[in-house]
């Protein structure tokens, strides 16, 4: 069995030191069931308990003679029980002569006063080495409140320091640490959490204990549970990982998607002969702001690259209308699923209602594909009043629209089936309105935001310049 470092609580073992080792000729075997047999059984049980302890233990009678010496004491100092029991004190064999008086004074003081006394001093090993130990001394009461002896539990100081560091680390982590820490049991239910984790999960430290993670997390719970199951089965991953989660709506607080930088540690019992998983320690830190900034930066770099590539490709086009279509092809990559270009019959500085638009080009209505070259002819598009494309022309700006979750939403606006997000941007060149370009996204994409509108306006300026260069609009 793996030994476990622990504090030596000598006061809880006083009842064990009741039958000191004796020396002399062996007594005849006692008859079964006799008092002598019962004493012999008790002595055997006492010896087994003492030898099985994870902490070294030695005991002294009132005269200072060693009466008990267990196997952990033998492991630390090298002296066997046969060599230690019966010796007068520790001087000369387990303690240097220079330290003997101080050690004897501490033993006498512990015998004369109640309670537990903790000291540190150096002991000698059998091979002449020295080891610093931390001891806990406690008097053994006898008849008439007179001390019958004293017992000493001790362990190596570095073992105690390691244990205290582990305890201090646990206390620090489960205090108000900057990382969230959650202990999850083998059933994937939180068993312990610190204040940071409770705040991140928008609940109390005790309210989340024992609850399934599905009651706390909406999106991303499968990824979290999968990671926990992997750690229980195969151990901790080699590096932290980013997990995107959405908390469930609690108390009217709107759900928000968060990115948690997560690390996992498998917890196993040190007392088992084979490692038995006790659960998983889940440590996480909210890095949503940093990840969103990184995503925005990557998106901007990609879009700038697309515009640069489009500019070089358009420079080789002889037909301005083909150049406008080429701009749309580069713009659609990673931005939208479909695009439509509708032009005014005649370019005007400020179109007045009613506005009539003519379809110039559109990407395939089914599977997304390249934008075909624009022709000179086209049919009017019967947009209803209040259509986002008409609003963009009237406002000379950009208009965003999102589905109202009805099946006829896209069809009523003359857009391809499955459209749930739209962004219409006016085409302006030389102070005149030429038309409008509309970008469409399906349900697998996020809604258009302000940065998308800025990018669409940049594209619209380039497309409008090419269309204006081609001459009169249809």
């Amino acid at each position: 069995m793996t030994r476990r470092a622990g504090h030596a609580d000598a006061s809880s073992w006083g009842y064990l030191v009741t039958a000191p080792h004796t020396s002399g000729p062996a007594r005849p075997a006692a008859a079964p069931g006799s008092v002598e047999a019962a004493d012999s059984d008790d002595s055997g049980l006492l010896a087994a308990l003492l030898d099985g302890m994870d902490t070294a233990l030695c005991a002294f009678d009132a005269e200072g003679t060693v009466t008990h010496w267990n196997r952990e004491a033998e492991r630390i100092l090298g002296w066997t029980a046969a060599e230690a029991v019966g010796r007068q004190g520790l001087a000369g064999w387990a303690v240097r002569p220079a330290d003997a008086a101080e050690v004897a004074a501490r033993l006498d003081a512990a015998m004369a006063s109640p309670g537990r006394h903790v000291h540190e001093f150096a002991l000698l090993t059998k091979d002449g080495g020295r080891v610093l130990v931390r001891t806990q001394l406690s008097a053994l009461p006898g008849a008439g409140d007179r001390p019958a002896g004293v017992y000493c539990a001790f362990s190596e100081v570095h073992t105690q320091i390691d244990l205290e560091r582990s305890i201090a680390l646990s206390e620090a982590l489960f205090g108000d640490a900057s990382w969230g820490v959650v202990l999850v049991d083998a059933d994937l239910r939180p068993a312990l959490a610190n204040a940071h984790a409770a705040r991140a999960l928008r609940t109390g430290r005790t309210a989340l204990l024992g609850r399934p993670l599905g009651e706390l997390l909406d999106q991303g719970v499968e990824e979290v549970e999968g990671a926990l199951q992997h750690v229980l089965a195969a151990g901790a991953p080699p590096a932290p990982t980013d997990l995107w989660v959405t908390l469930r709506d609690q108390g009217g607080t709107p759900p928000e998607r968060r990115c948690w930088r997560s690390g996992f540690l498998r917890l196993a019992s040190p007392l088992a002969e084979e490692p038995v998983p006790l659960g998983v320690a889940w440590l996480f830190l909210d890095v949503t702001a940093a990840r969103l900034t990184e995503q925005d930066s990557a998106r901007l770099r990609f879009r700038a690259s697309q515009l640069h590539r489009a500019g070089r490709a358009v420079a080789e086009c002889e037909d301005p209308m083909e150049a406008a279509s080429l701009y749309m092809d580069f713009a659609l990559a990673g931005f939208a699923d479909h695009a439509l270009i509708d032009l005014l019959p005649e370019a005007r500085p400020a179109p007045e209602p009613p506005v009539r638009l003519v379809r110039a080009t559109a990407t395939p209505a089914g599977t997304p594909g390249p934008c075909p070259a624009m022709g000179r002819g086209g049919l009017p598009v019967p947009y209803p009043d209040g259509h986002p494309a008409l609003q963009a022309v009237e406002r000379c700006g950009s208009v965003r629209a999102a589905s109202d979750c009805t099946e006829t939403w896209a069809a009523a606006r003359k857009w391809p089936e499955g459209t749930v997000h739209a962004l219409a941007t006016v085409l302006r060149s030389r102070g005149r309105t030429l038309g409008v370009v509309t970008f469409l996204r399906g349900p697998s994409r996020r809604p258009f935001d302000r940065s998308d509108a800025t990018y669409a306006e940049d594209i619209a300026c380039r497309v409008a310049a090419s269309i204006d260069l081609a001459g009169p609009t249809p």
Side-chain angles (χ1 to χ4, degrees):
M1 180 180 295
T2 304
R3 293 192 177 272
R4 176 175 60 89
H7 282 291
D9 189 354
S11 62
S12 62
W13 300 332
Y15 70 93
L16 295 175
V17 188
T18 58
H21 289 286
T22 59
S23 58
R27 292 181 295 176
S34 65
V35 176
E36 290 82 355
D39 291 341
S40 177
D41 292 341
D42 291 343
S43 298
L45 176 61
L46 174 61
L49 290 173
L50 292 177
D51 286 340
M53 289 182 177
D54 289 337
T55 301
L57 180 78
C58 63
F60 304 86
D61 61 16
E63 286 73 30
T65 302
V66 179
T67 60
H68 290 81
W69 191 269
N70 71 350
R71 291 193 179 184
E72 184 66 9
E74 177 182 344
R75 185 192 69 81
I76 294 176
L77 299 180
W79 301 98
T80 65
E83 295 171 326
V85 172
R87 289 179 179 264
Q88 185 67 29
L90 300 176
W93 62 284
V95 174
R96 292 192 312 166
D99 299 331
E102 180 184 359
V103 173
R106 290 177 178 177
L107 291 174
D108 292 341
M111 191 180 305
S113 60
R116 183 174 53 182
H117 306 268
V118 180
H119 302 284
E120 290 184 4
F121 48 75
L123 296 180
L124 288 176
T125 61
K126 187 176 181 180
D127 58 7
R130 298 182 69 194
V131 57
L132 185 64
V133 299
R134 179 170 296 175
T135 64
Q136 298 187 48
L137 307 175
S138 185
L140 176 63
D145 294 333
R146 297 181 60 187
V150 63
Y151 53 91
C152 170
F154 64 92
S155 60
E156 298 173 84
V157 167
H158 70 82
T159 302
Q160 292 288 333
I161 292 176
D162 289 343
L163 175 63
E164 292 174 2
R165 284 173 178 163
S166 298
I167 295 174
L169 175 61
S170 299
E171 292 294 332
L173 288 176
F174 286 99
D176 195 10
S178 58
W179 278 71
V181 183
V182 179
L183 293 189
V184 183
D185 61 20
D187 296 327
L188 305 186
R189 295 173 183 262
L192 192 62
N194 68 349
H196 185 102
R199 288 193 300 269
L201 293 167
R202 296 181 182 174
T203 184
R205 293 185 64 180
T206 58
L208 64 86
L209 303 183
R211 298 172 60 186
L213 293 175
E215 294 184 5
L216 304 170
L217 304 177
D218 185 7
Q219 299 178 2
V221 63
E222 296 85 359
E223 289 78 3
V224 174
E225 290 182 342
L228 294 173
Q229 290 173 347
H230 171 78
V231 174
L232 284 172
T241 184
D242 289 348
L243 295 176
W244 286 90
V245 300
T246 301
L247 301 179
R248 289 200 176 278
D249 188 1
Q250 299 178 6
T253 305
E256 187 177 5
R257 195 162 181 254
R258 312 300 299 174
C259 180
W260 290 345
R261 185 69 170 168
S262 301
F264 301 92
L265 297 172
R266 182 169 62 175
L267 306 178
S269 173
L271 300 180
E273 294 182 0
E274 296 182 0
V276 177
L278 297 178
V280 177
W282 176 22
L283 294 84
F284 63 88
L285 183 66
D286 194 323
V287 293
T288 306
R291 294 297 176 266
L292 291 178
T293 301
E294 292 173 0
Q295 291 178 2
D296 291 342
S297 298
R299 188 182 301 117
L300 289 175
R301 288 194 300 270
F302 175 75
R303 290 175 177 178
S305 174
Q306 287 296 99
L307 291 178
H308 174 73
R309 293 173 59 197
R312 292 179 61 87
V314 165
E316 303 299 326
C317 292
E318 297 181 1
D319 184 359
M321 300 301 288
E322 181 184 355
S325 298
L326 195 57
Y327 270 124
M328 297 301 297
D329 289 338
F330 278 94
L332 282 174
F335 182 67
D337 296 324
H338 299 283
L340 314 171
I341 294 182
D342 303 314
L343 301 178
L344 291 170
E346 181 181 353
R348 302 174 184 175
E352 298 179 357
V355 175
R356 187 171 67 91
L357 294 173
V358 176
R359 176 62 47 82
T361 187
T363 54
T367 304
C371 184
M374 286 188 256
R376 290 289 180 177
L379 296 176
V381 186
Y383 285 144
D385 292 339
H387 192 279
L390 300 179
Q391 293 183 36
V393 172
E394 294 171 357
R395 299 176 184 178
C396 290
S398 298
V399 176
R400 285 175 282 172
S403 172
D404 57 5
C405 301
T406 60
E407 296 181 358
T408 61
W409 185 82
R413 288 158 179 76
K414 312 302 179 183
W415 290 334
E417 182 181 358
T419 298
V420 295
H421 307 296
L423 172 61
T425 302
V426 68
L427 296 172
R428 297 271 301 175
S429 178
R430 293 191 298 163
R432 300 174 302 154
T433 299
L434 306 181
V436 62
V437 57
T438 306
F439 297 98
L440 307 174
R441 287 178 177 175
S444 62
R445 293 179 180 267
R446 60 179 179 80
F448 289 100
D449 56 20
R450 182 60 234 171
S451 64
D452 295 329
T454 301
Y455 182 57
E457 290 166 1
D458 194 357
I459 297 169
C461 291
R462 298 167 186 260
V463 172
S466 296
I467 295 175
D468 192 18
L469 185 62
T473 56

